[in-house]
Amino acid sequence: MRPTITAFRNSPDGGGGHGRDMRVRWALEEAGVAYDVRLVDFDEMKQPAHLARHPFGQIPTYEEGDLVLFESGAIILHIAGHHPGLLPEGEHARARAIAWLFAALNTVEPAIVELEMAPYLDRDKPWYEERLVVLAERIRSKLDVLLPRLREAEWLEGGFSAADLMMVTVLRRIEGSPVLDEYPDLLAYVARATARPAYQRAFQAQLDVFRAAQAG
Ligand code: GTB
């Protein structure tokens, strides 16, 4: 059954592909699954119809027949569990890939989000500049762990997997920042992942949505 996902009608990232729908689009493209997109705006996301899909009133969601899912991690694992190519075959390798997927979501992404949010929350505080230094250092402590692994291997666990898909969408959030620029091998990792045709198709699809919204 053809799934339907939700995405911003008018993404605040200007078509940069930073919304978490991008992960779902990318996974579906990797799996070769055609999908529909239900576009929602910020008001709509807090209305009962969308809250029935997502209790926190966010995107992305995933509908497939009777199944309605929220949380990008759960959606990616569902897709990976039903289509070959997004998780390793061996039981242990599969479990390790899932561990890296959770590391992207629970260990790396929170540090990045904190830095992203700081200008909105703390810019007027006297300690703002010092906080930025601390937050950047916290991100470095995560990247320092990824670095040796991705120097030795092309992907986090065997071949390209949902773990890389998740980690790369997380790292993309600091693309262009001086912190990530300190790690050329991680930039190369992001570049080889985003060069994948499935990523390119997913990126173009969300960009088309943004451009259509701009055109009115
Ligand atoms: N844990 C959830 C998941 O992984 O699915 C988090 C979902 C989430 O944060 N969704 C965001 C959302 O719906 C959109 S992706 N926000 C609206 C709200 O909470 O009311 C996060 C996001 C938003 C905007 C940018 N941007 O502009 O660059 C980047 C990422």
Side-chain angles (χ1 to χ4, degrees), residues 196-216:
R196 294 174 71 83
Y199 177 92
Q200 294 291 323
R201 288 193 296 274
F203 186 88
Q204 189 59 47
Q206 64 77 38
L207 185 58
D208 289 346
V209 170
F210 176 75
R211 287 188 173 148
Q214 294 306 105

Side-chain angles (χ1 to χ4, degrees), residues 8 10-24 40 42 45-46 50 54 56-61 70-75 105 109 113 116 120 166 173:
F8 285 131
N10 197 347
S11 179
D13 69 358
H18 294 289
R20 288 180 175 95
D21 59 300
M22 182 62 203
R23 303 165 176 183
V24 180
V40 289
F42 278 91
M45 287 161 71
K46 308 302 174 193
H50 189 69
H54 196 309
F56 299 102
Q58 295 184 312
I59 60 105
T61 61
F70 65 101
E71 282 296 333
S72 58
I75 297 169
L105 289 173
E109 188 163 50
V113 169
E116 247 176 23
Y120 302 102
M166 197 59 90
R173 296 182 74 151

Side-chain angles (χ1 to χ4, degrees), residues 41 58 60-62 90 107 109 118 142 145 147 157 166 209 215:
D41 56 36
Q58 295 184 312
T61 61
Y62 177 96
T107 303
E109 188 163 50
K142 315 301 178 199
V145 174
L147 186 63
E157 179 59 51
M166 197 59 90
V209 170

